[in-house]
Amino acid sequence: GVQTCALPIYLSLAENKLIPNVVIVSNKKFDQFTDKYSNKVMTINDIALPIKDSFLKNQSDLVLKQGNYLAMPYSSMPYVFFYRKDILSKVGIDPSTIKTWDDFINTGNVLQQKTKGKVKMLSANVQNGDMFKMLLNQLGGSYFDNDGKVTAGDSKFQKAVVTLKKLNDSGIVFEGNGNTTQSLVDGTTVFAPAGIDFSSFLSSQDPNQKGNFGIVKFPAFENGGGNSVAYDGSSIVEINTGTNKALTEDFIKFAATDKETLLDSFTKYSFFSAYLPLYNLKYFNDNVEYFNGESIWNKFIESGKDSSEFIYSKNFEAADISVIKAQGKILKGENIISTLKEMQNSIKIEPQK
């Protein structure tokens, strides 16, 4: 059977009963899961190695541990900026002129002047850590390095923190509180980061706004810099049940690579597969009527391909809590360097098995 990785799966594996052959694991929990159940997770080199280059590199790298593939890459979550073309056009702002985060902040100040403070530039989850992770991923950074050590002292981590604070202090951000898109729909903000599912939501739930929205990738940190963001996603793990190994591996390969099924999942459920040949299909070059006849999928595909692997490690959840706390202190004005150092020292690192 196939089950998703949640509490019942952990209990089943721990008690050695009702064990599924296949588990779909969130990438945030991948290292934690494979470490905790290392005696039950199968290596799948035989089916993964021959097609490893057919998947997004950041997803393929994530499931490769000490030379062995512990899972098949399954999905990714690329992010882009949705923006209000109609509002920006009315105030005479051309989004194509925004190349960097500094440009973005400066344009946000202009927008507030032109709308007399009624419209903010960006809706984002600044306080809960989501925006920080996007900025860090954009720079090719993570909470941890490949050896599992916390990276708070490196330049990427600090650059992401400084940029987040700039955004927060600029006054151009509307705090999303978990929902970054409603204010974009309402027209009280003009940019918001979101995934593919938001494009489906708009076209189905707000058809009267057809043509009002556009899609761009993130501003870069400097001219010509990287502007792709994608993190989390999922992987397919084979569990050692002692039965049906060949059938299980056939199923894993089918689930991860069958283009007809993956396209159906994309169109119906906004499921973004990690399987690259899927995106050679004509569908992904088609113009989308709701978005003024533009071909929008390429922005997501580029972000998926060009983004860096986000290294989670088994200690990610504990570290995430510490990072969010430190970020909150910094946004309130505490010293960046000393706060990050304190945070780094507070995170307890459990070694991988």
Side-chain angles (χ1 to χ4, degrees), residues 65-237:
K65 305 295 180 184
Q66 298 179 331
N68 289 311
Y69 284 92
L70 301 187
M72 190 75 83
Y74 193 40
S75 69
S76 181
M77 292 182 67
Y79 288 87
V80 298
F81 269 175
F82 288 76
Y83 70 94
R84 289 295 297 264
K85 298 174 76 170
D86 54 335
I87 297 173
L88 291 178
S89 179
K90 284 178 184 176
V91 297
I93 292 176
D94 180 358
S96 69
T97 63
I98 301 171
K99 305 296 184 186
T100 66
W101 282 111
D102 286 339
D103 293 341
F104 189 86
I105 292 169
N106 292 336
T107 303
N109 290 326
V110 171
L111 175 70
Q112 297 217 107
Q113 291 170 7
K114 291 191 173 188
T115 63
K116 298 181 180 178
K118 294 179 180 178
V119 181
K120 296 276 190 181
M121 186 69 166
L122 176 65
S123 175
N125 291 323
V126 171
Q127 300 294 331
N128 73 357
D130 284 355
M131 192 66 201
F132 175 70
K133 284 190 276 288
M134 290 181 189
L135 293 170
L136 186 60
N137 177 251
Q138 184 183 351
L139 287 165
S142 303
Y143 288 180
F144 303 95
D145 63 18
N146 286 315
D147 296 321
K149 296 177 181 176
V150 180
T151 63
D154 77 12
S155 60
K156 292 175 182 177
F157 201 102
Q158 293 180 13
K159 195 172 188 176
V161 171
V162 168
T163 303
L164 186 76
K165 183 161 173 54
K166 275 186 184 179
L167 284 166
N168 185 70
D169 293 351
S170 68
I172 68 167
V173 179
F174 173 82
E175 176 61 37
N177 293 320
N179 184 351
T180 60
T181 53
Q182 187 57 52
S183 62
L184 188 71
V185 174
D186 295 342
T188 51
T189 61
V190 292
F191 283 89
I196 283 175
D197 56 339
F198 186 54
S199 62
S200 302
F201 171 84
L202 284 174
S203 57
S204 62
Q205 300 297 318
D206 204 358
N208 292 333
Q209 292 215 60
K210 183 173 73 173
N212 286 346
F213 294 89
I215 291 177
V216 291
K217 293 173 73 175
F218 280 46
F221 282 81
E222 58 279 317
N223 279 312
N227 58 358
S228 293
V229 175
Y231 67 96
D232 202 11
S234 62
S235 303
I236 310 176
V237 178

Side-chain angles (χ1 to χ4, degrees), residues 149-324:
K149 296 177 181 176
V150 180
T151 63
D154 77 12
S155 60
K156 292 175 182 177
F157 201 102
Q158 293 180 13
K159 195 172 188 176
V161 171
V162 168
T163 303
L164 186 76
K165 183 161 173 54
K166 275 186 184 179
L167 284 166
N168 185 70
D169 293 351
S170 68
I172 68 167
V173 179
F174 173 82
E175 176 61 37
N177 293 320
N179 184 351
T180 60
T181 53
Q182 187 57 52
S183 62
L184 188 71
V185 174
D186 295 342
T188 51
T189 61
V190 292
F191 283 89
I196 283 175
D197 56 339
F198 186 54
S199 62
S200 302
F201 171 84
L202 284 174
S203 57
S204 62
Q205 300 297 318
D206 204 358
N208 292 333
Q209 292 215 60
K210 183 173 73 173
N212 286 346
F213 294 89
I215 291 177
V216 291
K217 293 173 73 175
F218 280 46
F221 282 81
E222 58 279 317
N223 279 312
N227 58 358
S228 293
V229 175
Y231 67 96
D232 202 11
S234 62
S235 303
I236 310 176
V237 178
E238 180 182 358
I239 303 300
N240 184 8
T241 64
T243 61
N244 300 321
K245 177 177 172 59
L247 182 63
T248 298
E249 293 190 348
D250 284 346
F251 173 80
I252 290 172
K253 188 173 179 181
F254 172 85
T257 65
D258 183 72
K259 289 188 279 189
E260 183 178 349
T261 304
L262 295 173
L263 179 60
D264 189 57
S265 296
F266 181 91
T267 56
K268 290 181 179 176
Y269 311 112
S270 300
F271 176 86
F272 190 88
S273 168
Y275 187 56
L276 289 170
L278 175 68
Y279 302 109
N280 295 327
L281 297 179
K282 178 182 177 298
Y283 176 88
F284 295 99
N285 291 314
D286 287 346
N287 296 329
V288 180
E289 184 181 356
Y290 186 87
F291 289 89
N292 215 28
E294 294 180 14
S295 178
I296 64 170
W297 307 127
N298 62 315
K299 299 289 194 306
F300 293 99
I301 295 167
E302 286 172 10
S303 289
K305 286 180 177 178
D306 297 340
S307 62
S308 299
E309 176 194 359
F310 199 96
I311 299 170
Y312 291 103
S313 99
K314 63 180 288 186
N315 302 289
F316 172 77
E317 290 183 337
D320 197 36
I321 293 170
S322 296
V323 170
I324 291 169

